[in-house]
Amino acid sequence: MTKSLDANTKKQLAARVDYYREMGIYDFYRREGGPEVPNETLAAKESPSDVAPMRAAGGGRSLFDSPLPVIQDKPAALKLIREDIGDCTRCRLHKGRNKLVFGVGNVNADLMFIGEGPGADEDAQGEPFVGRAGQLLNNMISAMGIKREDVYIANVVKCRPPGNRTPEKDECDTCSPFLMRQIDVIRPKVIVALGAVAAKNLLAVNDSMANLRGRWYEFKNSKLLVTYHPAYLLRDPRQKKEAWKDLQMAMKELGLKPPAKASTE
Ligand code: SF4
């Protein structure tokens, strides 16, 4: 006789399935003749990712006891996300786009920087933070004692807003699920949100930079802090000292030591 799942189990199962879908895993199968909840592995069929198996109720532990699986084949998972984005026309920002800016960097990065959206240089090159603001970000990263290649860099929206305007909420809402999937794959220890737009979209709050900065937020499996966008620091270099304080918080968390002559100039 078919035993129905209780409401809580159904809710948890739905959340798990949503998680796998966000990872790009859509097909599941169950062993014929097995218990109602499979007691070996709820396997992902033709998954590009090497996902750790989930335990099932039959083994004495709940299906949900185990932590969410860690994606092993990160490049394949990111490639799948990029393929899902495709030649995206999901929001109006596609109209002025030359190149979609997906994200760049070390897939195993402990540190991830998230900005607002591509500017003209990024739109031309298809890579985030490559213009003047990008040069300053590189300097900020060097001041932390690491290299650009050590971190992962992405934006809330992947197409350049016309005239570098701030992306609208609906544009951020449409595009950010892809960023969430990137974060789930990379699983950085620390995320630094660059500027108010990134911070407000990631944290779903509407607050001033003064209130947003200087503290840690729990975000997915990471710790998140907020600092000034490098473009803002170019306009108001006096704030570099404040940004350096934020980066030092990240360094402490990551156990990084600055090189002898650290500078964000
Ligand atoms: Fe698609 Fe994001 Fe570009 Fe909008 S900004 S068109 S959602 S990739």
Side-chain angles (χ1 to χ4, degrees):
M1 193 174 79
T2 305
K3 209 171 90 190
S4 63
L5 299 172
D6 63 58
N8 190 43
T9 306
K10 274 186 190 165
K11 198 172 154 198
Q12 286 181 301
L13 187 56
R16 273 288 164 142
V17 170
D18 282 350
Y19 176 84
Y20 279 101
R21 287 200 172 131
E22 285 192 3
M23 291 293 103
I25 299 165
Y26 296 96
D27 299 330
F28 299 88
Y29 65 88
R30 186 181 74 169
R31 283 192 173 204
E32 290 304 325
E36 289 309 315
V37 180
N39 69 353
E40 290 186 1
T41 301
L42 186 58
K45 190 178 151 196
E46 293 178 355
S47 161
S49 311
D50 183 8
V51 178
M54 291 197 295
R55 294 268 186 150
R61 291 178 59 197
S62 159
L63 178 65
F64 310 107
D65 280 349
S66 55
L68 286 169
V70 175
I71 302 296
Q72 303 291 343
D73 191 346
K74 294 183 177 187
L78 289 172
K79 185 165 173 271
L80 190 77
I81 298 167
R82 181 64 189 88
E83 284 169 6
D84 280 352
I85 297 172
D87 195 12
C88 187
T89 57
R90 291 172 180 87
C91 85
R92 67 184 82 82
L93 292 184
H94 80 277
K95 291 179 190 163
R97 166 183 81 214
N98 284 305
K99 285 192 178 162
L100 191 147
V101 181
F102 179 69
V104 72
N106 186 337
V107 296
N108 295 309
D110 285 337
L111 177 59
M112 182 166 178
F113 288 94
I114 299 177
E116 163 182 331
D121 294 311
E122 291 76 17
D123 176 62
Q125 295 183 43
E127 185 172 326
F129 287 94
V130 289
R132 279 184 68 226
Q135 186 55 53
L136 178 54
L137 178 62
N138 292 348
N139 293 348
M140 291 160 72
I141 294 168
S142 300
M144 298 174 80
I146 51 177
K147 300 191 197 87
R148 180 178 168 102
E149 299 73 50
D150 297 325
V151 307
Y152 195 88
I153 308 171
N155 285 308
V156 174
V157 294
K158 303 198 181 306
C159 301
R160 183 191 180 203
N164 291 345
R165 68 158 167 79
T166 302
E168 304 282 352
K169 184 172 184 310
D170 64 313
E171 295 159 352
C172 294
D173 289 348
T174 306
C175 200
S176 60
F178 297 115
L179 174 64
M180 297 304 121
R181 287 173 61 182
Q182 288 171 287
I183 295 169
D184 280 338
V185 171
I186 293 159
R187 282 200 175 211
K189 287 184 184 147
V190 169
I191 294 172
V192 176
L194 296 167
V197 173
K200 289 177 186 177
N201 275 283
L202 290 167
L203 298 171
V205 294
N206 193 6
D207 213 339
S208 66
M209 279 298 278
N211 287 337
L212 288 167
R213 287 183 50 246
R215 51 180 284 209
W216 287 108
Y217 303 84
E218 295 299 325
F219 186 81
K220 291 181 160 280
N221 294 296
S222 309
K223 293 183 80 173
L224 184 149
L225 66 78
V226 178
T227 194
Y228 294 112
H229 193 287
Y232 174 77
L233 296 175
L234 288 172
R235 293 195 297 275
D236 187 356
R238 290 169 305 171
Q239 301 303 329
K240 283 184 181 176
K241 269 189 193 157
E242 292 300 308
W244 181 233
K245 284 184 199 165
D246 299 330
L247 296 183
Q248 284 177 308
M249 278 175 68
M251 290 164 65
K252 192 169 172 205
E253 185 66 26
L254 294 167
L256 296 173
K257 297 234 179 317
K261 275 194 171 181
S263 167
T264 57
E265 295 302 316

